[in-house]
Structure formats: C-alpha cells, structure tokens
Amino acid sequence: MITPPKSPIHSFFENQLWQLLVLAFLFISFSFGYEYLTVPQGSWFGLTTKQWFWVALVSPIIHQTYIWLCWRGELYFKTVTRVFGRPGFQIFSLGFALLIFVRFFSIVAVCLADYQSFAIPAAVRFPLAFFLHLPALYAIYSVIRYFGIRRIPGEDHFRPEEYRGKAFVRQGMYRYSSNVMYVYIGLLFVATAVLCASKAGLLITLYMYATVWTHYFCTEKPDIRYIYS
C-alpha cells in the first residue's frame, strides 16, 4: 500500500512556483525571440504567423497547468474521481487529448504559416527532415507498443496502487532513453520546421522542448518518485 505523504498540500504545490517562474521566463524570452528574428508576415488557415505563434506559446502553459491540477488533485485528494466518479480518468483524458492536439497543431501551423523564411536548399532540408523523422516515428511506435496508450495521459496518477509494482519499460526506443516521449518524439516537429524552412517553427519547437522538460522536472518527476518509490 502506498503511504500517504506527510503533507498532501505541500506535495500538491511541490515545485509549482518554479514551474510558474520558468514558464513565465520562457514565454517572455521566446516572445522577444520572435521579434528578434524578424519573422516575415505570413498566414495559414485564417491566422497570421504571429497569431499562430501566440497560440503555440500559450497552449503549453494551459496544458501543463491542467495536468498539474488534475494529476496532483487526483493523486493526493482523489478530486477528479470524486467529482466525475468512475469515468473520471476518461473525462480527464479527453481534456488532455484536446489540449495536446492544440499544442502540437499550433506548432505545425507556425511552420506552415512561416514557410521558407530560412534560405535552406531543398537538397539539404528534405533529407535532413527525413532522417529526423525516423527516430521520432520509432519513438511513437515504442510508446504505443510498449508504454501503452492509457499511460500517456497519466493513468498511474489515477491508479497508483496498480502501477507501483510495475517495472519501467525497457523495450524499443526505451532501450536508449527512459524518457522517449520528451527526447525523441519532439524531433517530429523539428523535422517539420526543417522541412518548411521556418525560422518561427524552429523557435517554437525549441520552446516546446523547454516547456515539456519544465513539466517533467517540476511535476512528473516528483510524482514518479512518490508513485513508484
């Protein structure tokens, strides 16, 4: 049986001030970075490049705040299942999926709106994008095949007793990294930015990496320590 933390309130807020400060710093820094790069005016699907860039800046903050509130609320207080009952995890997962879709779609939209703002020859960007896709696609396969779809939105936070005895995944791409989703899958968006030769796309992809690792160290890692230790 998992021993409750000495102070659930302290555990709920653990590292979240750091996450807030880092996300604020990243938001401001990358906003200035966009202006510094003098990204040319473009548009895609009815929004300008700058508007898509702002969506891509804001969506990770909303997404990671949602994850923190629901993960920690459920882990320490059973908040989600108390409100929604047995379907609590499914309802949370729907919100998780919608937010992550907006988060990733906006990155692709930035790349398409800012198409070819970098003078990269096709003979360079096409092969480079192709090779960057390969580890990303194998990582996606490894996550689905070995990690499991239900673990992606964090089922272990809803059923910690079931997951505590499970070993960490070591098959597929997990042989090379214990954190495949944050290390390799992001290369899919790097490849997209390279393929589109997009300055803003490369910048927002760097922002994506910075925000997901902030989430990992401030929220996920402490939770893993509590659930699996």
Side-chain angles (χ1 to χ4, degrees):
M1 181 174 180
I2 293 179
T3 304
K6 292 181 179 179
S7 174
I9 293 293
H10 176 271
S11 297
F12 179 81
F13 286 103
E14 183 181 2
N15 290 347
Q16 293 312 303
L17 178 59
W18 282 111
Q19 175 162 234
L20 176 63
L21 291 173
V22 173
L23 289 177
F25 171 77
L26 292 172
F27 181 88
I28 294 169
S29 299
F30 280 83
S31 299
F32 280 112
Y34 181 89
E35 301 299 335
Y36 178 78
L37 287 177
T38 59
V39 176
Q41 180 73 353
S43 66
W44 184 76
F45 214 64
L47 294 180
T48 65
T49 306
K50 192 169 187 176
Q51 288 171 330
W52 280 120
F53 192 86
W54 276 92
V55 173
L57 282 177
V58 173
S59 57
I61 298 172
I62 298 173
H63 186 215
Q64 290 175 202
T65 302
Y66 173 78
I67 293 173
W68 160 57
L69 291 172
C70 293
W71 274 9
R72 296 270 177 92
E74 180 64 24
L75 188 60
Y76 298 114
F77 305 105
K78 299 296 181 185
T79 305
V80 179
T81 49
R82 282 180 181 176
V83 173
F84 297 106
R86 291 176 63 87
F89 175 67
Q90 287 74 19
I91 293 170
F92 161 75
S93 297
L94 178 61
F96 179 94
L98 289 173
L99 288 171
I100 206 167
F101 172 78
V102 173
R103 185 171 182 169
F104 291 156
F105 182 82
S106 62
I107 296 173
V108 176
V110 169
C111 296
L112 294 173
D114 186 44
Y115 188 73
Q116 287 192 329
S117 61
F118 255 148
I120 307 176
V124 174
R125 57 191 174 96
F126 284 2
L128 181 58
F130 173 76
F131 285 113
L132 285 169
H133 269 91
L134 297 181
L137 293 176
Y138 185 42
I140 293 171
Y141 167 78
S142 298
V143 169
I144 295 172
R145 174 69 177 81
Y146 301 111
F147 190 74
I149 295 293
R150 294 180 65 88
R151 294 180 74 173
I152 295 174
E155 189 183 41
D156 52 356
H157 288 71
F158 288 74
R159 297 180 175 87
E161 298 286 356
E162 296 179 21
Y163 277 88
R164 192 174 197 191
K166 291 187 177 182
F168 288 104
V169 178
R170 290 290 183 266
Q171 296 96 343
M173 187 65 89
Y174 286 93
R175 289 177 293 178
Y176 310 107
S177 173
S178 61
N179 207 327
V180 167
M181 287 190 289
Y182 298 165
V183 175
Y184 295 107
I185 292 181
L187 292 175
L188 194 67
F189 301 100
V190 178
T192 303
V194 169
L195 184 64
C196 293
S198 169
K199 290 193 290 187
L202 289 169
L203 184 65
I204 203 63
T205 302
L206 180 61
Y207 176 77
M208 175 203 69
Y209 267 110
T211 54
V212 297
W213 281 106
T214 300
H215 159 74
Y216 174 74
F217 285 111
C218 293
T219 302
E220 187 168 352
K221 191 173 182 179
D223 292 359
I224 290 173
R225 186 174 63 244
Y226 168 64
I227 295 169
Y228 292 94
S229 64

